[in-house]
Amino acid sequence: MYFAIIGQDVAESLPLRLSVRPAHLQRLEQLKAEGRLLLAGPFPEMQDGELSTGFSGSLIVADFPSWEACQTWANADPYVAAGVYAGVTIKPFKLVLP
């Protein structure tokens, strides 16, 4: 079943993000190699209607056997350990389109 993992960044998270980004991406590449990753990416911040250099969070949609398995995976994310995320929400996701 697909689950959406929504990470909400702490304020001024960019330096923390950059410090652990390679490890974060490595885990996503593993999901991709296993055929379980549907999509992943950050939410860019906007200032005065323009994109800034910072981010407000991330979205990962991937296949996990259970909510508990997804929670375990999400809790082990380098962004969690480094304090990039203020919180993480997990929701079941139903792919309709495309």
Side-chain angles (χ1 to χ4, degrees):
M1 166 178 237
Y2 283 117
F3 290 91
I5 303 167
I6 305 145
Q8 181 66 41
D9 282 21
V10 298
E12 306 296 328
S13 64
L14 189 57
L16 290 173
R17 271 182 169 269
L18 294 176
S19 71
V20 294
R21 187 171 186 263
H24 173 76
L25 292 178
Q26 182 179 14
R27 295 180 81 237
L28 293 174
E29 287 292 342
Q30 181 63 39
L31 284 179
K32 181 181 172 186
E34 294 169 1
R36 298 172 44 207
L37 182 64
L38 183 62
L39 62 91
F43 298 117
E45 288 184 332
M46 304 260 320
Q47 292 180 350
D48 300 322
E50 300 291 326
L51 290 178
S52 75
T53 58
F55 299 95
S56 64
S58 302
L59 172 64
I60 299 165
V61 180
D63 184 30
F64 291 92
S66 66
W67 186 92
E68 291 81 8
C70 182
Q71 180 71 56
T72 298
W73 188 90
N75 285 345
D77 193 295
Y79 282 177
V80 171
V84 173
Y85 292 151
V88 175
T89 302
I90 297 173
K91 297 182 178 192
F93 182 83
K94 181 178 178 182
L95 179 63
V96 175
L97 293 172

